Amino acid sequence: MWSRAAALIACALTATLVATGATPAQAAAPDTERPTAPGPITVVAVDTTWIELTWAASTDNVGVVRYPVGAQFEDFGAQYSTDTNSIRIEGLRPSRTYTFSVWALDAAGNSSVSNPTLRLTMPPGDDQPPGAPGQPVAYDVAATQVWLRWAHSVENVVLDRYEVFRVDAGGALTLIRDVSQYPPRNSTQISGLTPNTTYTFVVRARDEAGHLSPLSAPVTVTTLPPPPSCAVRSTVRQWSDGFAATLVVENTGTTAVDGWTMTWRFWASQQVRGIWGATVVDRPNNGYLRVRNTARNALVPPGGSVSLGLVATGTQLPQEVTLNGGLCVVADE
């Protein structure tokens, strides 16, 4: 009996000592320490469309869990990831110059700083220049600008851009437009030209390896005279879902207009039912209607006028009338 009582007393005493002297358990401190930066990036192997990279591993107080790797070309970039200190990146483009970067992340999401980068130009993927672009065609010719379009150059790998040159009187080339959108467009606007002046343009293609095509055949175009001063008077008969309008456009300048185009505001939902005194050209930006002269009314002398009529659906009447790019003043009736 005594032994049992002594044992009970000893257990109670031990429980009391534990209750009064024990230290409560503490939560582990959060990991806020960054990994060290990876070592310099080294190229293990490279081909025209892939590359293998390695670097000295980072260290961390807990442990590095992965290495994000970036590959940047101009404004385009991609990100990859590996849990080792090496990676193989595929799907790259020949002859492009990439900037590769790598950094380390630990399990808490801490990122290394002062991370290494490597700028490298991929080996060329082809040794053939592009074919010559098609001869440019001039359209939407105005007093100070013109649009050019041409047939695409034939390229065996990847076409990078088009270069548009002005051909001077002595045959010298001056680069005036670098059409470098991707994929390359085969049209461009040339602005800042002088009214009533003749220009000659050629186009050349460049592929991603830097090879240059032969020059295209030239195109020669003369810009229009300065936009004429003009005034417009209109007579409109309107009904619920359409109208008939007669426009009288007067040349209020001092120079004759020999050939003209005219535009005015015209909703995309509207349809032309009939027109006289002009021929429809197109609907630029789908918010305007553009017409041109007929064979009988191309010449408008100073103080002279041209009349044309329109029957159309909708309720948007002709507004913002322009003659050869010059905005006409609305004349009082």
Side-chain angles (χ1 to χ4, degrees):
M1 292 294 294
W2 185 90
S3 298
R4 183 181 179 191
L8 291 173
I9 293 171
C11 287
L13 180 59
T14 301
T16 300
L17 290 173
V18 170
T20 58
T23 301
Q26 298 292 327
D31 179 10
T32 59
E33 185 173 331
R34 295 176 179 271
T36 63
I41 302 173
T42 302
V43 177
V44 177
V46 63
D47 204 342
T48 56
T49 60
W50 59 265
I51 192 170
E52 290 184 10
L53 304 172
T54 189
W55 53 89
S58 300
T59 59
D60 185 66
N61 62 321
V62 176
V64 173
V65 294
R66 66 187 179 94
Y67 295 93
V69 179
Q72 186 79 19
F73 167 70
E74 293 183 353
D75 294 333
F76 304 93
Q79 185 171 310
Y80 309 87
S81 183
T82 177
D83 55 5
T84 68
N85 63 322
S86 63
I87 193 171
R88 179 185 173 104
I89 300 175
E90 299 184 347
L92 303 176
R93 293 291 187 89
S95 304
R96 282 189 175 177
T97 299
Y98 290 91
T99 299
F100 299 98
S101 57
V102 61
W103 59 100
L105 288 176
D106 64 16
N110 299 310
S111 175
S112 60
V113 295
S114 301
N115 303 305
T117 60
L118 172 68
R119 185 175 174 84
L120 179 139
T121 300
M122 301 293 291
D126 75 87
D127 56 1
Q128 299 179 31
Q135 182 180 22
V137 174
Y139 65 104
D140 280 357
V141 180
T144 60
Q145 66 183 32
V146 62
W147 277 86
L148 300 177
R149 62 171 172 258
W150 54 89
H152 272 301
S153 173
V154 176
E155 161 62 14
N156 64 319
V157 181
V158 177
L159 194 64
D160 181 60
R161 65 189 62 205
Y162 290 106
E163 299 167 338
V164 182
F165 296 88
R166 184 180 69 241
V167 183
D168 299 331
L173 302 181
T174 301
L175 178 65
I176 56 174
R177 289 288 288 161
D178 193 335
V179 188
S180 56
Q181 297 94 335
Y182 188 82
R185 293 175 51 190
N186 61 331
S187 65
T188 191
Q189 183 189 64
I190 310 299
S191 57
L193 304 177
T194 302
N196 205 24
T197 303
T198 299
Y199 293 90
T200 298
F201 302 102
V202 293
V203 181
R204 182 173 70 186
R206 180 188 295 268
D207 67 17
E208 286 198 335
H211 299 125
L212 301 175
S213 77
L215 295 172
S216 71
V219 61
T220 298
V221 59
T222 300
T223 53
L224 298 179
S229 301
C230 56
V232 59
R233 300 188 307 274
S234 62
T235 303
V236 178
R237 184 168 61 87
Q238 195 168 7
W239 51 91
S240 60
D241 60 349
F243 65 89
T246 300
L247 302 179
V248 178
V249 181
E250 181 184 1
N251 177 5
T252 58
T254 59
T255 304
V257 175
D258 189 3
W260 50 264
T261 59
M262 197 178 299
T263 65
W264 57 78
R265 176 75 67 179
F266 200 71
W267 287 340
S269 59
Q270 292 182 271
Q271 299 295 323
V272 176
R273 297 305 189 197
I275 190 168
W276 61 94
T279 303
V280 174
V281 177
D282 59 11
R283 303 179 69 164
N285 300 325
N286 225 13
Y288 290 85
L289 180 68
R290 177 161 46 194
V291 301
R292 67 168 175 260
N293 60 269
T294 66
R296 297 182 177 182
N297 62 2
L299 183 64
V300 187
S305 63
V306 61
S307 298
L308 59 151
L310 172 74
V311 177
T313 64
T315 59
Q316 172 63 60
L317 304 178
Q319 296 177 358
E320 302 176 21
V321 179
T322 68
L323 179 65
N324 284 355
L327 185 63
C328 297
V329 177
V330 177
D332 295 329
E333 291 290 345

